[in-house]
Amino acid sequence: MEYAGAPRSVGPSPSTRCCCRWQPPRDAFTATFTALPEAPLRGPVVATYSQHDRATGFWHLRAEGRTGIGHEGIGTTPAPVSAIRMLPPEEAYPLTALDHRFVSVDVSDVFVRGNGPAGAHSDHLRPESAHLLLSLADHCR
């Protein structure tokens, strides 16, 4: 899978980038990571988010005045964002959901466990996570 407008790379290049509840602000793809459109990725940049992640929600809001991608999902980007929910391992991700430069995956129904100040920030070792990663790898072939 190569999304429309993907830059052609010379030699091996990563297929995709998956960030599990990442801390940069929601506008990071237009304000900080501005070279990303030219990056030699063949597949999407994927970020998961959970409303139960207090590390990128509550704590980032207090420290930086805004939440991170890992709490509310990808915000502004230079290309359209596919907003999807995490699927159970027995349900296939449709190519149309992953065939975008940016994919924001709501994992709030799955990543809910966590005690202490970070909330569910470290709740990601689950079959659904493996299913997402393997689906991305399969779609990027």
Side-chain angles (χ1 to χ4, degrees):
M1 166 186 88
E2 290 195 16
Y3 66 91
R8 299 284 176 204
S9 61
V10 177
S13 67
S15 294
T16 191
R17 168 86 169 130
C18 187
C19 308
C20 291
R21 290 181 327 283
W22 210 24
Q23 57 269 26
R26 298 188 69 224
D27 66 352
F29 295 113
T30 53
T32 306
F33 306 114
T34 56
L36 190 60
E38 291 80 38
L41 290 172
R42 292 192 326 260
V45 173
V46 179
T48 66
Y49 68 97
S50 174
Q51 296 294 312
H52 306 288
D53 184 340
R54 287 193 302 265
T56 60
F58 178 84
W59 294 110
H60 275 260
L61 182 61
R62 269 116 198 106
E64 300 174 7
R66 54 188 174 173
T67 60
I69 290 172
H71 185 259
E72 293 188 45
I74 297 174
T76 56
T77 63
V81 177
S82 175
I84 63 172
R85 63 178 182 83
M86 180 167 262
L87 298 178
E90 59 277 359
E91 190 175 338
Y93 283 95
L95 180 59
T96 55
L98 301 177
D99 190 19
H100 292 75
R101 180 56 151 172
F102 299 95
V103 179
S104 190
V105 184
D106 184 353
V107 299
S108 297
D109 292 340
V110 179
F111 298 166
V112 297
R113 295 187 302 220
N115 295 323
H121 186 69
S122 296
D123 183 19
H124 58 270
L125 300 176
R126 296 177 168 270
E128 293 89 348
S129 301
H131 175 51
L132 175 61
L133 291 171
L134 291 172
S135 297
L136 287 165
D138 186 47
H139 285 315
C140 287
R141 289 200 234 164

